[in-house]
Amino acid sequence: MPKPQRHVFVCSQQRPPGHPRGSCASKGASPLLQAFWGELQKRQAYDKVAITYAGCLGPCDNGPNVLVYPEGVLYSGVSTADVVEIFDSHLEGGKPVERLLAEAGAW
């Protein structure tokens, strides 16, 4: 199996309710991860993209976070509706989705 061009990490951190850092799991991380895996399968992009669930990536209070390597791009507040755009623009096109970028210093 060839080395993928990009590796996507989806924060699946689960913290108790009321935790000051928030919890991506309580904000839709599981359906988001499933959407990424589904899109990967639909596109048969296994040689281009790897998708992995991860622990805390930083700003969990902003909702599900997605980190893309090798660029080190952090998306924050990502929803299942954003997955196709991330695939089209960034994972296949090489252009990060500006509107989803985490604020500088957020992590």
Side-chain angles (χ1 to χ4, degrees):
M1 184 170 172
K3 179 180 174 185
Q5 298 167 358
R6 293 197 167 80
H7 198 148
V8 178
F9 296 90
V10 179
C11 180
S12 299
Q13 181 68 43
Q14 184 167 356
R15 294 191 176 96
H19 192 282
R21 293 204 56 204
S23 173
C24 285
S26 68
K27 295 179 180 174
S30 184
L32 179 62
L33 184 60
Q34 295 298 322
F36 269 106
W37 281 334
E39 195 64 25
L40 179 71
Q41 183 175 13
K42 175 181 161 187
R43 294 172 189 242
Q44 294 291 297
Y46 302 108
D47 58 336
K48 297 178 187 174
V49 179
I51 298 170
T52 304
Y53 64 90
C56 185
L57 295 174
C60 291
D61 54 332
N62 294 335
N65 298 291
V66 173
L67 182 60
V68 179
Y69 274 97
E71 297 95 335
V73 171
L74 180 66
Y75 294 117
S76 191
V78 181
S79 74
T80 57
D82 300 318
V83 171
V84 170
E85 183 179 6
I86 291 171
F87 257 93
D88 288 343
S89 181
H90 189 166
L91 302 179
E92 292 184 342
K95 184 177 185 314
V97 180
E98 296 286 330
R99 68 179 180 81
L100 295 172
L101 294 176
E103 294 181 24
W107 59 313

